Amino acid sequence: MIESTPSRRVYAATVALLAWAALAAQLWLTIGVVLAQGRGLMMGLVIFFGFFTVLTNLLAALVMTAHAAGPGYAAFRHATSPVVMTTIAAAITMVGSIYFLVLRHLWKPEGAQFWADVALHYLIPALVVIFWAWTVPARSIRWKDTPWLFVYPLVYLVYVFVRGEMVQLYPYPFIDVLAIGYRAALLNAAGMMLAYALVVGLFCGLKIIFSRTTSRMST
């Protein structure tokens, strides 16, 4: 379990507040757009909870809230698991990377939507990764733990494809079966999983390098 200190709790509380505020703003904006189009509130919620960005930031908000609450909070033990922390850090890195490389060119958000986008795709991911680097001990992820790091993104892919069949709506163009077909969508999903695996490998490798460097400096 990761050690809880006052400075870490203050940092986590700050990130949690930013994440909850950004999610609330995005929910308000999404529902506003959907209602303006003449569709119902339920459709707004379906659209909102279909995005990997939203779900990952939601998980990050929950984890950071648990860190801020400290060991007295029931969920603290699970939230401070190196597997959980590394999963969130890798997933939210994918959020920022995919948005920057693939999705940001597809639209130009303005006003409140611009700031919500910046928070959810850049600011909160950066702050979460910094917290992961600060708190998760080097070599805390063992080889037998690594399959658990892939549970969340795999569950999301199953969810998004099943959901797409049910409501005929896909959150991202590169997995939009209606537009590009199942073969291309599944190939793109496999590519995303490969990229996620590379991020996980990079994060674990950096922790090992840092551990060796600090041990040499201390001897």
Side-chain angles (χ1 to χ4, degrees):
M1 188 172 68
I2 295 169
E3 181 184 1
S4 178
T5 64
S7 58
R8 289 177 177 177
R9 292 177 66 179
V10 169
Y11 184 99
T14 303
V15 178
L17 287 172
L18 287 171
W20 288 119
L23 286 166
Q26 186 60 60
L27 177 61
W28 178 265
L29 291 164
T30 300
I31 290 177
V33 170
V34 171
L35 293 179
Q37 294 172 346
R39 295 184 285 179
L41 174 63
M42 185 58 66
M43 180 54 68
L45 294 175
V46 168
I47 292 172
F48 180 75
F49 286 108
F51 288 102
F52 189 70
T53 294
V54 167
L55 296 176
T56 304
N57 273 277
L58 178 60
L59 290 175
L62 291 169
V63 166
M64 299 305 283
T65 299
H67 276 277
Y73 186 55
F76 180 81
R77 179 174 175 272
H78 299 290
T80 55
S81 160
V83 170
V84 171
M85 290 290 296
T86 304
T87 298
I88 297 298
I92 211 160
T93 297
M94 290 294 293
V95 165
S97 300
I98 293 173
Y99 186 79
F100 180 78
L101 296 172
V102 179
L103 300 173
R104 69 185 175 97
H105 309 289
L106 302 181
W107 71 325
K108 293 184 178 180
E110 298 178 349
Q113 183 62 75
F114 172 79
W115 293 110
D117 267 24
V118 169
L120 293 172
H121 295 110
Y122 299 126
L123 178 60
I124 295 165
L127 293 173
V128 169
V129 171
I130 289 170
F131 189 73
W132 170 86
W134 180 19
T135 59
V136 175
R139 298 179 180 273
S140 59
I141 300 294
R142 297 163 295 180
W143 284 113
K144 68 177 184 179
D145 296 325
T146 51
W148 293 105
L149 298 173
F150 293 85
V151 171
Y152 168 57
L154 287 173
V155 168
Y156 173 77
L157 287 176
V158 172
Y159 158 70
V160 82
F161 282 118
V162 172
R163 170 184 171 277
E165 281 293 314
M166 294 175 63
V167 301
Q168 295 295 288
L169 188 67
Y170 295 86
Y172 300 108
F174 50 81
I175 54 171
D176 188 346
V177 173
L178 301 177
I180 64 176
Y182 260 111
R183 183 176 182 276
L186 291 173
L187 284 174
N188 289 337
M192 294 299 104
M193 286 304 302
L194 177 59
Y196 177 82
L198 292 174
V199 170
V200 168
L202 175 63
F203 279 17
C204 293
L206 288 174
K207 280 290 183 180
I208 292 172
I209 292 171
F210 179 77
S211 173
R212 290 176 177 174
T213 302
T214 51
S215 64
R216 288 172 183 172
M217 291 175 64
S218 61
T219 56

mmCIF file of all heavy atoms in Angstrom, residues 11-31:
data_model
loop_
_atom_site.group_PDB
_atom_site.id
_atom_site.type_symbol
_atom_site.label_atom_id
_atom_site.label_comp_id
_atom_site.label_asym_id
_atom_site.label_seq_id
_atom_site.Cartn_x
_atom_site.Cartn_y
_atom_site.Cartn_z
ATOM 1 N N TYR A 11 -2.164 17.228 -2.549
ATOM 2 C CA TYR A 11 -2.023 17.120 -4.017
ATOM 3 C C TYR A 11 -3.191 16.328 -4.592
ATOM 4 O O TYR A 11 -3.818 16.746 -5.578
ATOM 5 C CB TYR A 11 -0.703 16.445 -4.358
ATOM 6 C CG TYR A 11 -0.403 16.371 -5.841
ATOM 7 C CD1 TYR A 11 0.448 17.297 -6.444
ATOM 8 C CD2 TYR A 11 -0.959 15.380 -6.648
ATOM 9 C CE1 TYR A 11 0.734 17.224 -7.803
ATOM 10 C CE2 TYR A 11 -0.679 15.301 -8.003
ATOM 11 C CZ TYR A 11 0.171 16.224 -8.573
ATOM 12 O OH TYR A 11 0.438 16.169 -9.915
ATOM 13 N N ALA A 12 -3.478 15.180 -3.983
ATOM 14 C CA ALA A 12 -4.570 14.334 -4.477
ATOM 15 C C ALA A 12 -5.902 15.059 -4.403
ATOM 16 O O ALA A 12 -6.732 14.951 -5.319
ATOM 17 C CB ALA A 12 -4.622 13.033 -3.676
ATOM 18 N N ALA A 13 -6.132 15.802 -3.330
ATOM 19 C CA ALA A 13 -7.386 16.543 -3.187
ATOM 20 C C ALA A 13 -7.525 17.595 -4.277
ATOM 21 O O ALA A 13 -8.611 17.798 -4.835
ATOM 22 C CB ALA A 13 -7.444 17.197 -1.805
ATOM 23 N N THR A 14 -6.423 18.263 -4.596
ATOM 24 C CA THR A 14 -6.448 19.275 -5.653
ATOM 25 C C THR A 14 -6.795 18.666 -7.001
ATOM 26 O O THR A 14 -7.645 19.182 -7.738
ATOM 27 C CB THR A 14 -5.081 19.990 -5.742
ATOM 28 O OG1 THR A 14 -4.762 20.564 -4.473
ATOM 29 C CG2 THR A 14 -5.108 21.078 -6.802
ATOM 30 N N VAL A 15 -6.144 17.548 -7.316
ATOM 31 C CA VAL A 15 -6.416 16.869 -8.595
ATOM 32 C C VAL A 15 -7.848 16.348 -8.623
ATOM 33 O O VAL A 15 -8.537 16.442 -9.645
ATOM 34 C CB VAL A 15 -5.418 15.734 -8.833
ATOM 35 C CG1 VAL A 15 -5.731 15.006 -10.141
ATOM 36 C CG2 VAL A 15 -3.994 16.269 -8.863
ATOM 37 N N ALA A 16 -8.310 15.793 -7.508
ATOM 38 C CA ALA A 16 -9.677 15.269 -7.441
ATOM 39 C C ALA A 16 -10.701 16.376 -7.691
ATOM 40 O O ALA A 16 -11.658 16.186 -8.453
ATOM 41 C CB ALA A 16 -9.928 14.616 -6.085
ATOM 42 N N LEU A 17 -10.501 17.530 -7.075
ATOM 43 C CA LEU A 17 -11.429 18.652 -7.272
ATOM 44 C C LEU A 17 -11.445 19.101 -8.730
ATOM 45 O O LEU A 17 -12.512 19.371 -9.302
ATOM 46 C CB LEU A 17 -11.047 19.815 -6.357
ATOM 47 C CG LEU A 17 -11.355 19.627 -4.863
ATOM 48 C CD1 LEU A 17 -10.747 20.766 -4.056
ATOM 49 C CD2 LEU A 17 -12.872 19.569 -4.646
ATOM 50 N N LEU A 18 -10.267 19.190 -9.339
ATOM 51 C CA LEU A 18 -10.189 19.564 -10.753
ATOM 52 C C LEU A 18 -10.907 18.540 -11.633
ATOM 53 O O LEU A 18 -11.636 18.913 -12.562
ATOM 54 C CB LEU A 18 -8.725 19.688 -11.180
ATOM 55 C CG LEU A 18 -7.950 20.905 -10.667
ATOM 56 C CD1 LEU A 18 -6.470 20.753 -10.995
ATOM 57 C CD2 LEU A 18 -8.505 22.184 -11.289
ATOM 58 N N ALA A 19 -10.698 17.269 -11.336
ATOM 59 C CA ALA A 19 -11.306 16.218 -12.145
ATOM 60 C C ALA A 19 -12.821 16.223 -12.013
ATOM 61 O O ALA A 19 -13.546 16.136 -13.018
ATOM 62 C CB ALA A 19 -10.739 14.851 -11.734
ATOM 63 N N TRP A 20 -13.327 16.329 -10.778
ATOM 64 C CA TRP A 20 -14.781 16.355 -10.594
ATOM 65 C C TRP A 20 -15.397 17.573 -11.260
ATOM 66 O O TRP A 20 -16.472 17.486 -11.873
ATOM 67 C CB TRP A 20 -15.131 16.335 -9.112
ATOM 68 C CG TRP A 20 -14.889 15.009 -8.429
ATOM 69 C CD1 TRP A 20 -14.051 14.761 -7.388
ATOM 70 C CD2 TRP A 20 -15.502 13.755 -8.751
ATOM 71 N NE1 TRP A 20 -14.087 13.433 -7.041
ATOM 72 C CE2 TRP A 20 -14.972 12.792 -7.854
ATOM 73 C CE3 TRP A 20 -16.433 13.351 -9.700
ATOM 74 C CZ2 TRP A 20 -15.362 11.451 -7.887
ATOM 75 C CZ3 TRP A 20 -16.819 12.015 -9.740
ATOM 76 C CH2 TRP A 20 -16.282 11.091 -8.840
ATOM 77 N N ALA A 21 -14.724 18.715 -11.162
ATOM 78 C CA ALA A 21 -15.237 19.938 -11.789
ATOM 79 C C ALA A 21 -15.266 19.811 -13.308
ATOM 80 O O ALA A 21 -16.246 20.199 -13.963
ATOM 81 C CB ALA A 21 -14.392 21.139 -11.370
ATOM 82 N N ALA A 22 -14.200 19.264 -13.879
ATOM 83 C CA ALA A 22 -14.135 19.099 -15.335
ATOM 84 C C ALA A 22 -15.185 18.100 -15.820
ATOM 85 O O ALA A 22 -15.828 18.314 -16.856
ATOM 86 C CB ALA A 22 -12.741 18.636 -15.747
ATOM 87 N N LEU A 23 -15.388 17.014 -15.082
ATOM 88 C CA LEU A 23 -16.397 16.030 -15.454
ATOM 89 C C LEU A 23 -17.803 16.619 -15.361
ATOM 90 O O LEU A 23 -18.649 16.382 -16.238
ATOM 91 C CB LEU A 23 -16.283 14.802 -14.557
ATOM 92 C CG LEU A 23 -15.090 13.885 -14.826
ATOM 93 C CD1 LEU A 23 -14.883 12.913 -13.668
ATOM 94 C CD2 LEU A 23 -15.288 13.114 -16.129
ATOM 95 N N ALA A 24 -18.047 17.388 -14.311
ATOM 96 C CA ALA A 24 -19.359 18.027 -14.169
ATOM 97 C C ALA A 24 -19.612 19.008 -15.305
ATOM 98 O O ALA A 24 -20.717 19.062 -15.868
ATOM 99 C CB ALA A 24 -19.453 18.738 -12.823
ATOM 100 N N ALA A 25 -18.586 19.770 -15.669
ATOM 101 C CA ALA A 25 -18.721 20.723 -16.774
ATOM 102 C C ALA A 25 -18.992 20.001 -18.088
ATOM 103 O O ALA A 25 -19.854 20.408 -18.876
ATOM 104 C CB ALA A 25 -17.460 21.579 -16.881
ATOM 105 N N GLN A 26 -18.259 18.904 -18.325
ATOM 106 C CA GLN A 26 -18.454 18.157 -19.567
ATOM 107 C C GLN A 26 -19.830 17.520 -19.624
ATOM 108 O O GLN A 26 -20.465 17.479 -20.681
ATOM 109 C CB GLN A 26 -17.366 17.096 -19.710
ATOM 110 C CG GLN A 26 -17.410 16.356 -21.040
ATOM 111 C CD GLN A 26 -17.237 17.285 -22.232
ATOM 112 O OE1 GLN A 26 -16.224 17.963 -22.351
ATOM 113 N NE2 GLN A 26 -18.236 17.331 -23.100
ATOM 114 N N LEU A 27 -20.312 17.018 -18.507
ATOM 115 C CA LEU A 27 -21.653 16.442 -18.461
ATOM 116 C C LEU A 27 -22.702 17.500 -18.792
ATOM 117 O O LEU A 27 -23.622 17.261 -19.587
ATOM 118 C CB LEU A 27 -21.922 15.840 -17.081
ATOM 119 C CG LEU A 27 -23.324 15.263 -16.853
ATOM 120 C CD1 LEU A 27 -23.603 14.127 -17.837
ATOM 121 C CD2 LEU A 27 -23.473 14.778 -15.411
ATOM 122 N N TRP A 28 -22.568 18.667 -18.190
ATOM 123 C CA TRP A 28 -23.493 19.777 -18.444
ATOM 124 C C TRP A 28 -23.472 20.177 -19.920
ATOM 125 O O TRP A 28 -24.527 20.366 -20.539
ATOM 126 C CB TRP A 28 -23.121 20.961 -17.561
ATOM 127 C CG TRP A 28 -23.980 22.179 -17.778
ATOM 128 C CD1 TRP A 28 -23.723 23.242 -18.591
ATOM 129 C CD2 TRP A 28 -25.246 22.441 -17.173
ATOM 130 N NE1 TRP A 28 -24.731 24.167 -18.535
ATOM 131 C CE2 TRP A 28 -25.684 23.696 -17.668
ATOM 132 C CE3 TRP A 28 -26.045 21.758 -16.257
ATOM 133 C CZ2 TRP A 28 -26.896 24.263 -17.277
ATOM 134 C CZ3 TRP A 28 -27.256 22.329 -15.863
ATOM 135 C CH2 TRP A 28 -27.659 23.561 -16.373
ATOM 136 N N LEU A 29 -22.291 20.269 -20.484
ATOM 137 C CA LEU A 29 -22.160 20.663 -21.890
ATOM 138 C C LEU A 29 -22.740 19.605 -22.820
ATOM 139 O O LEU A 29 -23.426 19.927 -23.803
ATOM 140 C CB LEU A 29 -20.686 20.912 -22.221
ATOM 141 C CG LEU A 29 -20.059 22.148 -21.569
ATOM 142 C CD1 LEU A 29 -18.534 22.066 -21.653
ATOM 143 C CD2 LEU A 29 -20.561 23.419 -22.227
ATOM 144 N N THR A 30 -22.461 18.336 -22.525
ATOM 145 C CA THR A 30 -22.959 17.254 -23.366
ATOM 146 C C THR A 30 -24.480 17.206 -23.360
ATOM 147 O O THR A 30 -25.120 17.120 -24.420
ATOM 148 C CB THR A 30 -22.393 15.902 -22.894
ATOM 149 O OG1 THR A 30 -20.971 15.935 -22.958
ATOM 150 C CG2 THR A 30 -22.913 14.758 -23.761
ATOM 151 N N ILE A 31 -25.059 17.275 -22.175
ATOM 152 C CA ILE A 31 -26.516 17.230 -22.075
ATOM 153 C C ILE A 31 -27.138 18.449 -22.748
ATOM 154 O O ILE A 31 -28.176 18.350 -23.418
ATOM 155 C CB ILE A 31 -26.944 17.117 -20.601
ATOM 156 C CG1 ILE A 31 -26.579 15.725 -20.068
ATOM 157 C CG2 ILE A 31 -28.439 17.375 -20.443
ATOM 158 C CD1 ILE A 31 -26.873 15.518 -18.610
#
